[in-house]
Amino acid sequence: MPRMVQMVWYKNAIIYSVNVESYMDGNGDGIGDFKGLARRLDHIHGIGVGAIWLLPFQSSPRQDHGYDVSDYYSVDPRFGTLGDFVEFTDQCAQRGIRVMMDLVFNHTSDQHPWFQESRSSPDNPKRDWYMWSKEKPENIHEGMVFPGKQEAVWTYDKKARAWYFHRFHKFQPDLNMKNPEVQAEILRIMGFWLRLGVSGFRLDAVPFIIATDEHEEAGGTEREFALLRKMREFSQFRDGDSVLLAEANVKPEASIEYFGPSAERLHMMFNFWVNPRIFYAFATGDAGPLKEGLEKTREIPQSSQWAQFLRNHDELDLSRLTEEQRQKVYDEMAPDEGMRVFDRGIRRRLGPMLKGDQRRIKAANSLLMSLPGTPVLRYGDEIGMGENLDLEGRTAIRTPMQWDEHGQGGFTTAEEACIPLIEHGPYGFHEVNVSQQRRDPESLLNWFERIIRLRQELPEIGYGAFRIIETEPEILAMCHEWEGSAILTVHNFDGQPRQVEFRINEDEQEKPPLINLLSNDHVQPQADGMYRFVIDPYGYNWFRCGATSVGLARKD
Ligand code: MG
């Protein structure tokens, strides 16, 4: 396919996930805000980030970290004003950074005026914007998103004299997506934010948005996919290069329906199939299931893209592993019950899960940068932040960014922060912060800047096709090919040095030297067409297959 068609920004950008509330406080009230975030854009720009994904910042009672919106057309006053928001998007544009935002359409807050109207009377025009039942529905305890923290999915409302459906918490009533007025309102909301400088949306809980039956589990078959196409057409019509990125933890076979058979629905999806298998590989040293996961998610339309990630703001969801695999990850990375949540995952940050081992942290992030797809980084991972398990649920992994060793870690000038900073221990802000790492050439932060620059110089990974090269079970070797040039990345999941031995091409005549892109240890092919070298414990190698370290000339 001609190059022009392939050049879409989301295939070679690094996405950086930010929670406004916990990034930087600009007005000294202890709460992160858009003014503060705008002031830290040079940090984000310096790492090499191409797009910022903002977690929910719209007005909300914040009973679920803002995933309970009470006004879609606003900025939560705690974070600033719409004016501050536009200043922020403008500052991003000046640096060539795009802005993506979370949109939560599966449900609203029960405080949203729509819900208040809906419950007020059966004749209210908003009544049908939510899902009501006069009779007590059956199976009200099935299909909950937060098992252990949630009692039911239907709750009786005295004022409405009816039961309302809520897949999530009871303060998050589900919108009735089948209602054309609700669909039209959703498009209006997207149009509003596109006008204010947003380049794309991270759509929350997509399988539930398009479910046709409220009792159906995620990953079921009956879906209203037409809505996704409508959303894409609308947003691209308003802004040609806007992007939809979906949170949809579905099986690989189902993903194609989300992308659309002709790539007419979602541009990107988080790869929830590969993610837990990365952690399994680090927990056990066995890269087998990860290789299978990569193979299973290989076939997607050409313009579609996976978003690859290590950790995000939610629990590390292990529900897609077998029970035995899950137990091995728990044993290694979350040995205490208090580190786990919802019977399916781990509420920890990357650094502590890898026991603070810098080799493993770098290997994991090097792997992230080399996976087929677009890497999504979580704020704080660039300095190796930890979690605070004393905080409730997933707040443990949502603590404020650690900028320096003073006061409140440079996050706020107030005496207290809205979410307590991590103060003590090896992950406290005295030990782990941006300011110290900026001064240290060997720091994780500076390492990140280098690896991201490398990744951005290698469009083979974001745009190209990949193959897994057959080698030892502890090793993942991938060859990414695009427009006549090839990149080979090799990762060792074992704590021992390993002898690596592989063949890149079946044709013994085609055996280019491997030019190391991170050191001077280049690898020459041997007479039998094999490549042999020793890789460090948790080592990672990036090679260009060819005579020089810059790309080969195009063959066509
Ligand atoms: Mg503030």
mmCIF file of all heavy atoms in Angstrom, residues 382-427:
data_model
loop_
_atom_site.group_PDB
_atom_site.id
_atom_site.type_symbol
_atom_site.label_atom_id
_atom_site.label_comp_id
_atom_site.label_asym_id
_atom_site.label_seq_id
_atom_site.Cartn_x
_atom_site.Cartn_y
_atom_site.Cartn_z
ATOM 1 N N GLU A 382 7.705 6.676 34.188
ATOM 2 C CA GLU A 382 8.989 7.126 33.652
ATOM 3 C C GLU A 382 10.019 7.366 34.759
ATOM 4 O O GLU A 382 11.215 7.483 34.476
ATOM 5 C CB GLU A 382 8.820 8.390 32.787
ATOM 6 C CG GLU A 382 8.529 9.694 33.534
ATOM 7 C CD GLU A 382 7.043 9.960 33.750
ATOM 8 O OE1 GLU A 382 6.300 8.984 33.975
ATOM 9 O OE2 GLU A 382 6.630 11.134 33.725
ATOM 10 N N ILE A 383 9.560 7.438 36.027
ATOM 11 C CA ILE A 383 10.528 7.544 37.119
ATOM 12 C C ILE A 383 10.446 6.329 38.046
ATOM 13 O O ILE A 383 11.135 6.257 39.059
ATOM 14 C CB ILE A 383 10.345 8.856 37.939
ATOM 15 C CG1 ILE A 383 8.900 9.025 38.407
ATOM 16 C CG2 ILE A 383 10.800 10.061 37.122
ATOM 17 C CD1 ILE A 383 8.698 10.166 39.406
ATOM 18 N N GLY A 384 9.573 5.376 37.715
ATOM 19 C CA GLY A 384 9.475 4.149 38.516
ATOM 20 C C GLY A 384 8.728 4.325 39.825
ATOM 21 O O GLY A 384 9.144 3.800 40.862
ATOM 22 N N MET A 385 7.614 5.055 39.780
ATOM 23 C CA MET A 385 6.831 5.260 41.008
ATOM 24 C C MET A 385 6.214 3.963 41.536
ATOM 25 O O MET A 385 5.996 3.012 40.790
ATOM 26 C CB MET A 385 5.723 6.299 40.751
ATOM 27 C CG MET A 385 6.169 7.726 41.012
ATOM 28 S SD MET A 385 4.927 8.964 40.532
ATOM 29 C CE MET A 385 3.524 8.495 41.551
ATOM 30 N N GLY A 386 5.912 3.973 42.834
ATOM 31 C CA GLY A 386 5.299 2.814 43.472
ATOM 32 C C GLY A 386 3.858 3.080 43.857
ATOM 33 O O GLY A 386 3.253 4.053 43.409
ATOM 34 N N GLU A 387 3.294 2.189 44.698
ATOM 35 C CA GLU A 387 1.903 2.350 45.117
ATOM 36 C C GLU A 387 1.828 2.512 46.636
ATOM 37 O O GLU A 387 2.806 2.247 47.332
ATOM 38 C CB GLU A 387 1.067 1.140 44.688
ATOM 39 C CG GLU A 387 1.310 -0.127 45.513
ATOM 40 C CD GLU A 387 2.442 -1.001 44.992
ATOM 41 O OE1 GLU A 387 2.825 -0.832 43.821
ATOM 42 O OE2 GLU A 387 2.957 -1.841 45.762
ATOM 43 N N ASN A 388 0.666 2.949 47.110
ATOM 44 C CA ASN A 388 0.429 3.055 48.546
ATOM 45 C C ASN A 388 -0.731 2.138 48.904
ATOM 46 O O ASN A 388 -1.901 2.507 48.737
ATOM 47 C CB ASN A 388 0.108 4.504 48.910
ATOM 48 C CG ASN A 388 -0.161 4.666 50.404
ATOM 49 O OD1 ASN A 388 -0.167 3.678 51.143
ATOM 50 N ND2 ASN A 388 -0.384 5.887 50.832
ATOM 51 N N LEU A 389 -0.398 0.938 49.407
ATOM 52 C CA LEU A 389 -1.425 -0.068 49.646
ATOM 53 C C LEU A 389 -2.324 0.268 50.836
ATOM 54 O O LEU A 389 -3.342 -0.383 51.044
ATOM 55 C CB LEU A 389 -0.783 -1.444 49.826
ATOM 56 C CG LEU A 389 -0.153 -2.011 48.543
ATOM 57 C CD1 LEU A 389 0.746 -3.203 48.858
ATOM 58 C CD2 LEU A 389 -1.224 -2.406 47.535
ATOM 59 N N ASP A 390 -1.959 1.315 51.591
ATOM 60 C CA ASP A 390 -2.839 1.739 52.689
ATOM 61 C C ASP A 390 -4.085 2.446 52.170
ATOM 62 O O ASP A 390 -5.064 2.596 52.885
ATOM 63 C CB ASP A 390 -2.099 2.697 53.639
ATOM 64 C CG ASP A 390 -0.981 1.968 54.377
ATOM 65 O OD1 ASP A 390 -1.064 0.720 54.474
ATOM 66 O OD2 ASP A 390 -0.043 2.640 54.841
ATOM 67 N N LEU A 391 -4.016 2.917 50.927
ATOM 68 C CA LEU A 391 -5.171 3.607 50.359
ATOM 69 C C LEU A 391 -6.166 2.583 49.821
ATOM 70 O O LEU A 391 -5.800 1.490 49.416
ATOM 71 C CB LEU A 391 -4.737 4.573 49.252
ATOM 72 C CG LEU A 391 -3.783 5.700 49.702
ATOM 73 C CD1 LEU A 391 -3.307 6.510 48.505
ATOM 74 C CD2 LEU A 391 -4.465 6.614 50.730
ATOM 75 N N GLU A 392 -7.436 3.011 49.808
ATOM 76 C CA GLU A 392 -8.527 2.127 49.420
ATOM 77 C C GLU A 392 -8.442 1.722 47.939
ATOM 78 O O GLU A 392 -8.183 2.557 47.069
ATOM 79 C CB GLU A 392 -9.842 2.889 49.705
ATOM 80 C CG GLU A 392 -11.097 2.330 49.088
ATOM 81 C CD GLU A 392 -11.535 1.015 49.729
ATOM 82 O OE1 GLU A 392 -11.052 0.703 50.836
ATOM 83 O OE2 GLU A 392 -12.333 0.302 49.097
ATOM 84 N N GLY A 393 -8.691 0.459 47.654
ATOM 85 C CA GLY A 393 -8.857 -0.034 46.277
ATOM 86 C C GLY A 393 -7.791 0.459 45.321
ATOM 87 O O GLY A 393 -6.590 0.373 45.585
ATOM 88 N N ARG A 394 -8.253 1.017 44.202
ATOM 89 C CA ARG A 394 -7.325 1.408 43.157
ATOM 90 C C ARG A 394 -6.720 2.795 43.375
ATOM 91 O O ARG A 394 -5.875 3.227 42.589
ATOM 92 C CB ARG A 394 -8.024 1.306 41.793
ATOM 93 C CG ARG A 394 -8.414 -0.132 41.492
ATOM 94 C CD ARG A 394 -9.154 -0.271 40.190
ATOM 95 N NE ARG A 394 -10.464 0.364 40.232
ATOM 96 C CZ ARG A 394 -11.337 0.326 39.229
ATOM 97 N NH1 ARG A 394 -11.036 -0.299 38.124
ATOM 98 N NH2 ARG A 394 -12.507 0.923 39.330
ATOM 99 N N THR A 395 -7.158 3.469 44.456
ATOM 100 C CA THR A 395 -6.496 4.730 44.811
ATOM 101 C C THR A 395 -5.022 4.467 45.114
ATOM 102 O O THR A 395 -4.175 5.357 44.966
ATOM 103 C CB THR A 395 -7.188 5.384 46.025
ATOM 104 O OG1 THR A 395 -8.590 5.414 45.778
ATOM 105 C CG2 THR A 395 -6.710 6.808 46.254
ATOM 106 N N ALA A 396 -4.722 3.243 45.517
ATOM 107 C CA ALA A 396 -3.343 2.853 45.830
ATOM 108 C C ALA A 396 -2.374 3.196 44.699
ATOM 109 O O ALA A 396 -1.215 3.540 44.940
ATOM 110 C CB ALA A 396 -3.285 1.350 46.105
ATOM 111 N N ILE A 397 -2.861 3.106 43.448
ATOM 112 C CA ILE A 397 -1.990 3.324 42.282
ATOM 113 C C ILE A 397 -2.287 4.663 41.609
ATOM 114 O O ILE A 397 -1.913 4.895 40.470
ATOM 115 C CB ILE A 397 -2.122 2.177 41.251
ATOM 116 C CG1 ILE A 397 -3.593 1.898 40.949
ATOM 117 C CG2 ILE A 397 -1.429 0.931 41.775
ATOM 118 C CD1 ILE A 397 -3.808 0.937 39.805
ATOM 119 N N ARG A 398 -3.003 5.537 42.325
ATOM 120 C CA ARG A 398 -3.384 6.826 41.738
ATOM 121 C C ARG A 398 -2.826 7.991 42.549
ATOM 122 O O ARG A 398 -3.417 9.067 42.610
ATOM 123 C CB ARG A 398 -4.919 6.900 41.617
ATOM 124 C CG ARG A 398 -5.464 5.816 40.703
ATOM 125 C CD ARG A 398 -6.977 5.738 40.650
ATOM 126 N NE ARG A 398 -7.403 4.678 39.723
ATOM 127 C CZ ARG A 398 -8.654 4.432 39.377
ATOM 128 N NH1 ARG A 398 -9.641 5.173 39.850
ATOM 129 N NH2 ARG A 398 -8.952 3.457 38.544
ATOM 130 N N THR A 399 -1.696 7.783 43.195
ATOM 131 C CA THR A 399 -1.113 8.827 44.047
ATOM 132 C C THR A 399 -0.446 9.910 43.184
ATOM 133 O O THR A 399 -0.116 9.673 42.025
ATOM 134 C CB THR A 399 -0.054 8.215 44.998
ATOM 135 O OG1 THR A 399 0.951 7.601 44.208
ATOM 136 C CG2 THR A 399 -0.685 7.185 45.931
ATOM 137 N N PRO A 400 -0.261 11.114 43.767
ATOM 138 C CA PRO A 400 0.265 12.235 42.973
ATOM 139 C C PRO A 400 1.672 11.999 42.426
ATOM 140 O O PRO A 400 2.490 11.283 43.009
ATOM 141 C CB PRO A 400 0.271 13.397 43.972
ATOM 142 C CG PRO A 400 -0.780 13.067 44.963
ATOM 143 C CD PRO A 400 -0.711 11.562 45.114
ATOM 144 N N MET A 401 1.913 12.652 41.299
ATOM 145 C CA MET A 401 3.220 12.620 40.644
ATOM 146 C C MET A 401 4.275 13.189 41.589
ATOM 147 O O MET A 401 4.031 14.174 42.301
ATOM 148 C CB MET A 401 3.146 13.460 39.364
ATOM 149 C CG MET A 401 4.411 13.472 38.543
ATOM 150 S SD MET A 401 4.736 11.845 37.804
ATOM 151 C CE MET A 401 6.185 12.238 36.826
ATOM 152 N N GLN A 402 5.465 12.589 41.569
ATOM 153 C CA GLN A 402 6.537 12.986 42.481
ATOM 154 C C GLN A 402 7.578 13.809 41.728
ATOM 155 O O GLN A 402 8.388 13.266 40.983
ATOM 156 C CB GLN A 402 7.117 11.720 43.122
ATOM 157 C CG GLN A 402 6.065 10.981 43.938
ATOM 158 C CD GLN A 402 6.444 9.613 44.449
ATOM 159 O OE1 GLN A 402 5.589 8.918 44.982
ATOM 160 N NE2 GLN A 402 7.693 9.212 44.303
ATOM 161 N N TRP A 403 7.524 15.133 41.947
ATOM 162 C CA TRP A 403 8.375 16.036 41.165
ATOM 163 C C TRP A 403 9.724 16.293 41.825
ATOM 164 O O TRP A 403 10.741 16.363 41.171
ATOM 165 C CB TRP A 403 7.654 17.357 40.909
ATOM 166 C CG TRP A 403 6.439 17.175 40.060
ATOM 167 C CD1 TRP A 403 5.131 17.145 40.472
ATOM 168 C CD2 TRP A 403 6.407 16.928 38.645
ATOM 169 N NE1 TRP A 403 4.299 16.906 39.400
ATOM 170 C CE2 TRP A 403 5.049 16.774 38.273
ATOM 171 C CE3 TRP A 403 7.395 16.830 37.653
ATOM 172 C CZ2 TRP A 403 4.663 16.526 36.957
ATOM 173 C CZ3 TRP A 403 7.012 16.586 36.346
ATOM 174 C CH2 TRP A 403 5.661 16.431 36.008
ATOM 175 N N ASP A 404 9.722 16.495 43.155
ATOM 176 C CA ASP A 404 11.001 16.696 43.835
ATOM 177 C C ASP A 404 10.924 16.200 45.284
ATOM 178 O O ASP A 404 9.919 15.597 45.679
ATOM 179 C CB ASP A 404 11.464 18.160 43.734
ATOM 180 C CG ASP A 404 10.531 19.127 44.445
ATOM 181 O OD1 ASP A 404 9.905 18.727 45.462
ATOM 182 O OD2 ASP A 404 10.419 20.280 44.003
ATOM 183 N N GLU A 405 11.987 16.445 46.048
ATOM 184 C CA GLU A 405 12.075 15.853 47.380
ATOM 185 C C GLU A 405 11.555 16.781 48.479
ATOM 186 O O GLU A 405 11.650 16.467 49.649
ATOM 187 C CB GLU A 405 13.513 15.413 47.676
ATOM 188 C CG GLU A 405 14.579 16.513 47.618
ATOM 189 C CD GLU A 405 15.149 16.734 46.208
ATOM 190 O OE1 GLU A 405 14.365 16.793 45.241
ATOM 191 O OE2 GLU A 405 16.383 16.872 46.076
ATOM 192 N N HIS A 406 11.006 17.918 48.103
ATOM 193 C CA HIS A 406 10.585 18.890 49.114
ATOM 194 C C HIS A 406 9.087 18.808 49.394
ATOM 195 O O HIS A 406 8.327 18.325 48.565
ATOM 196 C CB HIS A 406 10.922 20.312 48.660
ATOM 197 C CG HIS A 406 12.374 20.468 48.285
ATOM 198 N ND1 HIS A 406 13.381 20.316 49.217
ATOM 199 C CD2 HIS A 406 12.969 20.725 47.097
ATOM 200 C CE1 HIS A 406 14.552 20.488 48.597
ATOM 201 N NE2 HIS A 406 14.326 20.738 47.321
ATOM 202 N N GLY A 407 8.701 19.372 50.549
ATOM 203 C CA GLY A 407 7.285 19.583 50.914
ATOM 204 C C GLY A 407 6.390 18.419 50.543
ATOM 205 O O GLY A 407 6.539 17.315 51.064
ATOM 206 N N GLN A 408 5.478 18.693 49.621
ATOM 207 C CA GLN A 408 4.576 17.648 49.125
ATOM 208 C C GLN A 408 5.093 17.102 47.783
ATOM 209 O O GLN A 408 4.350 16.968 46.812
ATOM 210 C CB GLN A 408 3.170 18.218 48.966
ATOM 211 C CG GLN A 408 2.466 18.530 50.279
ATOM 212 C CD GLN A 408 2.065 17.255 51.015
ATOM 213 O OE1 GLN A 408 1.575 16.305 50.419
ATOM 214 N NE2 GLN A 408 2.299 17.209 52.317
ATOM 215 N N GLY A 409 6.362 16.813 47.758
ATOM 216 C CA GLY A 409 6.952 16.204 46.558
ATOM 217 C C GLY A 409 6.880 17.088 45.326
ATOM 218 O O GLY A 409 6.937 16.593 44.200
ATOM 219 N N GLY A 410 6.727 18.404 45.540
ATOM 220 C CA GLY A 410 6.642 19.314 44.402
ATOM 221 C C GLY A 410 5.295 19.284 43.701
ATOM 222 O O GLY A 410 5.077 19.992 42.727
ATOM 223 N N PHE A 411 4.366 18.459 44.220
ATOM 224 C CA PHE A 411 3.047 18.347 43.577
ATOM 225 C C PHE A 411 2.167 19.549 43.910
ATOM 226 O O PHE A 411 1.424 20.046 43.064
ATOM 227 C CB PHE A 411 2.373 17.042 44.023
ATOM 228 C CG PHE A 411 0.894 16.994 43.736
ATOM 229 C CD1 PHE A 411 0.434 16.862 42.427
ATOM 230 C CD2 PHE A 411 -0.042 17.087 44.762
ATOM 231 C CE1 PHE A 411 -0.927 16.830 42.155
ATOM 232 C CE2 PHE A 411 -1.401 17.057 44.494
ATOM 233 C CZ PHE A 411 -1.841 16.923 43.193
ATOM 234 N N THR A 412 2.269 20.009 45.143
ATOM 235 C CA THR A 412 1.433 21.135 45.561
ATOM 236 C C THR A 412 2.174 21.947 46.621
ATOM 237 O O THR A 412 3.017 21.411 47.342
ATOM 238 C CB THR A 412 0.083 20.652 46.121
ATOM 239 O OG1 THR A 412 -0.673 21.791 46.564
ATOM 240 C CG2 THR A 412 0.257 19.702 47.303
ATOM 241 N N THR A 413 1.816 23.239 46.715
ATOM 242 C CA THR A 413 2.353 24.064 47.803
ATOM 243 C C THR A 413 1.438 24.012 49.023
ATOM 244 O O THR A 413 1.767 24.534 50.075
ATOM 245 C CB THR A 413 2.495 25.532 47.354
ATOM 246 O OG1 THR A 413 1.228 25.978 46.847
ATOM 247 C CG2 THR A 413 3.550 25.669 46.271
ATOM 248 N N ALA A 414 0.284 23.380 48.878
ATOM 249 C CA ALA A 414 -0.627 23.226 50.026
ATOM 250 C C ALA A 414 -0.002 22.258 51.035
ATOM 251 O O ALA A 414 0.901 21.491 50.709
ATOM 252 C CB ALA A 414 -1.975 22.697 49.543
ATOM 253 N N GLU A 415 -0.518 22.290 52.267
ATOM 254 C CA GLU A 415 0.055 21.410 53.295
ATOM 255 C C GLU A 415 -0.358 19.961 53.076
ATOM 256 O O GLU A 415 0.318 19.034 53.487
ATOM 257 C CB GLU A 415 -0.400 21.872 54.674
ATOM 258 C CG GLU A 415 0.106 23.272 54.966
ATOM 259 C CD GLU A 415 0.414 23.493 56.417
ATOM 260 O OE1 GLU A 415 -0.148 22.744 57.250
ATOM 261 O OE2 GLU A 415 1.204 24.407 56.710
ATOM 262 N N GLU A 416 -1.513 19.803 52.435
ATOM 263 C CA GLU A 416 -2.012 18.453 52.237
ATOM 264 C C GLU A 416 -2.449 18.278 50.788
ATOM 265 O O GLU A 416 -3.015 19.195 50.201
ATOM 266 C CB GLU A 416 -3.225 18.238 53.145
ATOM 267 C CG GLU A 416 -3.174 16.949 53.925
ATOM 268 C CD GLU A 416 -4.339 16.862 54.892
ATOM 269 O OE1 GLU A 416 -4.242 17.445 55.999
ATOM 270 O OE2 GLU A 416 -5.344 16.250 54.513
ATOM 271 N N ALA A 417 -2.196 17.112 50.247
ATOM 272 C CA ALA A 417 -2.626 16.840 48.870
ATOM 273 C C ALA A 417 -3.938 16.064 48.891
ATOM 274 O O ALA A 417 -4.229 15.345 49.848
ATOM 275 C CB ALA A 417 -1.552 16.030 48.151
ATOM 276 N N CYS A 418 -4.726 16.216 47.810
ATOM 277 C CA CYS A 418 -6.052 15.569 47.749
ATOM 278 C C CYS A 418 -5.947 14.050 47.885
ATOM 279 O O CYS A 418 -6.808 13.404 48.475
ATOM 280 C CB CYS A 418 -6.751 15.947 46.453
ATOM 281 S SG CYS A 418 -5.769 15.622 44.971
ATOM 282 N N ILE A 419 -4.925 13.470 47.314
ATOM 283 C CA ILE A 419 -4.600 12.055 47.552
ATOM 284 C C ILE A 419 -3.207 12.080 48.173
ATOM 285 O O ILE A 419 -2.313 12.734 47.636
ATOM 286 C CB ILE A 419 -4.563 11.250 46.236
ATOM 287 C CG1 ILE A 419 -5.919 11.329 45.519
ATOM 288 C CG2 ILE A 419 -4.166 9.803 46.476
ATOM 289 C CD1 ILE A 419 -5.898 10.753 44.101
ATOM 290 N N PRO A 420 -2.988 11.420 49.308
ATOM 291 C CA PRO A 420 -1.679 11.516 49.953
ATOM 292 C C PRO A 420 -0.551 11.032 49.046
ATOM 293 O O PRO A 420 -0.709 10.032 48.341
ATOM 294 C CB PRO A 420 -1.794 10.593 51.174
ATOM 295 C CG PRO A 420 -3.221 10.234 51.296
ATOM 296 C CD PRO A 420 -3.914 10.531 50.005
ATOM 297 N N LEU A 421 0.558 11.759 49.066
ATOM 298 C CA LEU A 421 1.730 11.309 48.308
ATOM 299 C C LEU A 421 2.371 10.121 49.004
ATOM 300 O O LEU A 421 2.197 9.919 50.206
ATOM 301 C CB LEU A 421 2.763 12.433 48.211
ATOM 302 C CG LEU A 421 2.476 13.446 47.110
ATOM 303 C CD1 LEU A 421 1.961 14.727 47.692
ATOM 304 C CD2 LEU A 421 3.686 13.669 46.237
ATOM 305 N N ILE A 422 3.132 9.366 48.253
ATOM 306 C CA ILE A 422 3.927 8.302 48.865
ATOM 307 C C ILE A 422 5.147 8.973 49.484
ATOM 308 O O ILE A 422 5.939 9.602 48.785
ATOM 309 C CB ILE A 422 4.348 7.253 47.824
ATOM 310 C CG1 ILE A 422 3.097 6.644 47.193
ATOM 311 C CG2 ILE A 422 5.232 6.184 48.459
ATOM 312 C CD1 ILE A 422 3.392 5.687 46.069
ATOM 313 N N GLU A 423 5.243 8.886 50.804
ATOM 314 C CA GLU A 423 6.277 9.663 51.489
ATOM 315 C C GLU A 423 7.424 8.788 51.990
ATOM 316 O O GLU A 423 8.578 9.190 51.960
ATOM 317 C CB GLU A 423 5.633 10.438 52.649
ATOM 318 C CG GLU A 423 6.552 11.527 53.170
ATOM 319 C CD GLU A 423 5.861 12.459 54.160
ATOM 320 O OE1 GLU A 423 4.615 12.400 54.264
ATOM 321 O OE2 GLU A 423 6.583 13.223 54.831
ATOM 322 N N HIS A 424 7.087 7.601 52.469
ATOM 323 C CA HIS A 424 8.110 6.784 53.125
ATOM 324 C C HIS A 424 8.522 5.587 52.265
ATOM 325 O O HIS A 424 7.818 5.217 51.339
ATOM 326 C CB HIS A 424 7.585 6.315 54.479
ATOM 327 C CG HIS A 424 7.146 7.464 55.354
ATOM 328 N ND1 HIS A 424 8.040 8.378 55.863
ATOM 329 C CD2 HIS A 424 5.910 7.862 55.742
ATOM 330 C CE1 HIS A 424 7.369 9.295 56.565
ATOM 331 N NE2 HIS A 424 6.080 9.008 56.508
ATOM 332 N N GLY A 425 9.656 5.021 52.628
ATOM 333 C CA GLY A 425 10.102 3.799 51.958
ATOM 334 C C GLY A 425 10.803 4.093 50.644
ATOM 335 O O GLY A 425 10.966 5.244 50.245
ATOM 336 N N PRO A 426 11.180 3.020 49.952
ATOM 337 C CA PRO A 426 12.000 3.172 48.739
ATOM 338 C C PRO A 426 11.278 3.874 47.587
ATOM 339 O O PRO A 426 11.926 4.332 46.650
ATOM 340 C CB PRO A 426 12.342 1.724 48.361
ATOM 341 C CG PRO A 426 11.368 0.870 49.087
ATOM 342 C CD PRO A 426 10.975 1.613 50.322
ATOM 343 N N TYR A 427 9.942 3.947 47.641
ATOM 344 C CA TYR A 427 9.194 4.605 46.559
ATOM 345 C C TYR A 427 8.680 5.983 46.965
ATOM 346 O O TYR A 427 7.940 6.617 46.217
ATOM 347 C CB TYR A 427 8.039 3.717 46.080
ATOM 348 C CG TYR A 427 8.548 2.426 45.497
ATOM 349 C CD1 TYR A 427 8.608 1.265 46.268
ATOM 350 C CD2 TYR A 427 9.021 2.379 44.193
ATOM 351 C CE1 TYR A 427 9.120 0.078 45.747
ATOM 352 C CE2 TYR A 427 9.533 1.212 43.664
ATOM 353 C CZ TYR A 427 9.576 0.054 44.443
ATOM 354 O OH TYR A 427 10.090 -1.107 43.918
#
